[in-house]
Amino acid sequence: DIQMTQSPSTLSASVGDRVTITCRASQSISSWLAWYQQKPGKAPKLLISKASNLESGVPSRFSGSESETEFTLTISSLQPDDFATYYCQQYNTYPWTFGQGTKVEI
Amino acid sequence: QITLKESGPTLVKPTQTLTLTCTFSGFSLSTSGVGVGWIRQPPGKALEWLAVIYWHGSEYYSPSLKSRLTITKDTSKNQVVLTMTNMDPVDTATYYCAHRRVELGLDYWGQGTLVTVSS
């Protein structure tokens, strides 16, 4: 299985901060990586597909990038609605695997 | 508008078989490129992918659970069914179904259903 190592596990930040979350794949996954946002008691919401393609309706403060097997989710200016847990997921190879999550808290 | 909703028992006993149904609308599972997957999340833990089925009938499973899982589709009813045998308390989780299109992530999710395994 491809391991997805996500860091940090918890991130404390303030409104307006620039936030970066990293996900490293144990082997090449090309660009087949998605980012999700999950709020307590809710289903995950797809933010980004194919490493950097923003889903329709997702604010432009969210962006994704890649460098070989390292993937990054950036929130350019953290808003109150962004406090949540974020997960990466590779879908290059079965079994699909998720990172362990990053909780963004105040 | 694409919607999905999971249904099934909220409580199962150890060793029993769990059957979950995902009923969806807004898309057809006979459309090229479309799939429906199942993902679970134990309380306070990360997401875990379980299985996916595609428009052409191909199925893929988590290797660690493959012997216990079966995913099927009923295109006429707009349903996907997941069965998991030999349930154990460690299988207690919220189970989600989700839509995907090839090359994209899981773009529409059901609300999830919490399944507790306890005697």
Side-chain angles (χ1 to χ4, degrees), chain B residues 56-106:
Chain B
H56 48 46
S58 292
E59 310 155 23
Y60 299 89
Y61 295 96
S62 168
S64 63
L65 294 168
K66 184 178 172 64
S67 64
R68 299 172 53 205
L69 293 174
T70 303
I71 189 169
T72 60
K73 64 183 175 76
D74 187 330
T75 305
S76 64
K77 292 184 179 179
N78 282 352
Q79 290 181 334
V80 170
V81 175
L82 182 77
T83 60
M84 181 179 291
T85 61
N86 195 25
M87 293 292 285
D88 182 272
V90 299
D91 297 313
T92 294
T94 296
Y95 287 75
Y96 296 99
C97 62
H99 166 279
R100 78 161 307 214
R101 290 179 59 191
V102 172
E103 298 197 354
L104 300 180
L106 297 154

Side-chain angles (χ1 to χ4, degrees), chain A residues 32 36 46 49-50 55 91 94 96, chain B residues 2 26-29 31-37 52-55 98-108:
Chain A
W32 303 116
Y36 301 88
L46 179 64
S49 289
K50 214 173 176 183
E55 289 296 302
Y91 55 100
Y94 295 105
W96 294 342
Chain B
I2 290 177
F27 68 96
S28 171
L29 201 37
T31 300
S32 179
V34 172
V36 172
V52 65
I53 191 165
Y54 289 99
W55 79 101
H99 166 279
R100 78 161 307 214
R101 290 179 59 191
V102 172
E103 298 197 354
L104 300 180
L106 297 154
D107 54 358
Y108 293 92

